[in-house]
Amino acid sequence: RAMLLRRVNQDERAIADLTEAIKLRPQDEYLYSKRAEIYYSKQQLSNALRDYSRARSLDPANAQYYASNCRKIKAELEQSAKH
């Protein structure tokens, strides 16, 4: 449902749905990854970084993918701190 909400520009509701799903399935890296994508699109970089980091720790098989996203976000955070 969260992805459908996102498609109709209901990002806050999608985040709320994913947050509830995470409470039910806290070991599901996919949920963290999807919430991170939404946070990133909304420029909530700290939240996105936190969720991608959590997804990376839960899914070692895809650690490179999540690590790449984390590096990109860290660079953006550092850049915004300079301005």
Side-chain angles (χ1 to χ4, degrees):
R1 183 172 97 165
M3 296 303 98
L4 292 174
L5 288 168
R6 178 137 197 247
R7 286 186 191 155
V8 294
N9 297 316
Q10 296 290 318
D11 287 347
E12 294 304 321
R13 289 182 61 199
I15 289 170
D17 274 9
L18 287 165
T19 300
E20 287 303 311
I22 287 168
K23 288 178 185 175
L24 297 172
R25 294 179 13 214
Q27 301 302 312
D28 189 337
E29 80 286 340
Y30 178 81
L31 299 173
Y32 288 97
S33 175
K34 290 301 166 188
R35 190 171 68 174
E37 288 175 15
I38 299 171
Y39 281 138
Y40 184 77
S41 73
K42 296 176 67 55
Q43 290 297 297
Q44 294 181 15
L45 301 180
S46 295
N47 289 335
L49 179 61
R50 181 195 64 227
D51 277 359
Y52 276 132
S53 295
R54 181 69 176 139
R56 182 179 64 188
S57 71
L58 292 170
D59 185 14
N62 288 310
Q64 279 300 112
Y65 169 75
Y66 296 125
S68 171
N69 289 333
C70 289
R71 282 191 298 275
K72 179 172 67 172
I73 292 169
K74 286 178 182 178
E76 289 182 36
L77 285 169
E78 289 172 5
Q79 187 71 5
S80 67
K82 292 179 183 178
H83 295 282

